[in-house]
Amino acid sequence: MYGIPQIHMLMALGLLVFGMQTTPYQQLQRQVSWRHASSSRVGARPARQYIGPGDEIITLSGVLYPEVTGGRISLAALEAMADMGKSWPLIEGTGWFYGLFVIEELATTSTEFFPDGAARKIEFSLKLARCDDEPSLIGTVGADLLALLDLK
């Protein structure tokens, strides 16, 4: 078919799309915890009381080949989003809404270099933490997008 190219979205964090041509990840790890308060008891194990959900951490990791996929620009966009300190909606390509997440960590390893020093291969790991109860921190499309693109 001719016309608009079809974009395959693995996931979106705010306005940043993780796709096959941008920032494809090869692994998604999700860790969910629940909190239980503990009270010591004489002659018995501690009593536990459920006090609510704990942390939810999602780690996306993968390998970028800048000749084929995203590279420095995609990673720079993630860094700029993290620098804002905002939470962003995380939505899977299937439509599944994970919640609002902040970027806690981005680790990169560059290898196999071109003669000019640019990396042929960039491994990355992105750590996201859920924070649904902070609506004032949600990144917005208007001002935050312009700041991200440095177009103020």
Side-chain angles (χ1 to χ4, degrees), residues 50-70:
Y50 176 72
I51 58 173
D55 285 332
E56 180 176 347
I57 304 295
I58 291 182
T59 304
L60 302 174
S61 56
V63 180
L64 303 178
Y65 295 94
E67 292 176 297
V68 180
T69 63

Side-chain angles (χ1 to χ4, degrees), residues 32-37 48-56:
V32 182
S33 63
W34 295 265
R35 298 176 300 137
H36 296 267
R48 302 253 178 212
Q49 180 181 3
Y50 176 72
I51 58 173
D55 285 332
E56 180 176 347

Side-chain angles (χ1 to χ4, degrees), residues 33-128:
S33 63
W34 295 265
R35 298 176 300 137
H36 296 267
S38 174
S39 297
S40 296
R41 299 186 295 181
V42 176
R45 289 190 177 96
R48 302 253 178 212
Q49 180 181 3
Y50 176 72
I51 58 173
D55 285 332
E56 180 176 347
I57 304 295
I58 291 182
T59 304
L60 302 174
S61 56
V63 180
L64 303 178
Y65 295 94
E67 292 176 297
V68 180
T69 63
R72 286 186 186 172
I73 293 172
S74 299
L75 297 173
L78 284 168
E79 283 188 45
M81 290 170 67
D83 285 343
M84 287 180 195
K86 305 275 185 172
S87 59
W88 305 92
L90 184 65
I91 304 168
E92 195 173 65
T94 63
W96 183 261
F97 177 66
Y98 282 90
L100 299 174
F101 285 79
V102 294
I103 300 171
E104 283 198 337
E105 240 174 64
L106 174 63
T108 61
T109 303
S110 299
T111 56
E112 302 177 23
F113 299 96
F114 287 105
D116 66 357
R120 291 178 196 255
K121 178 180 175 183
I122 304 170
E123 296 176 58
F124 73 94
S125 177
L126 178 67
K127 182 178 172 186
L128 307 171

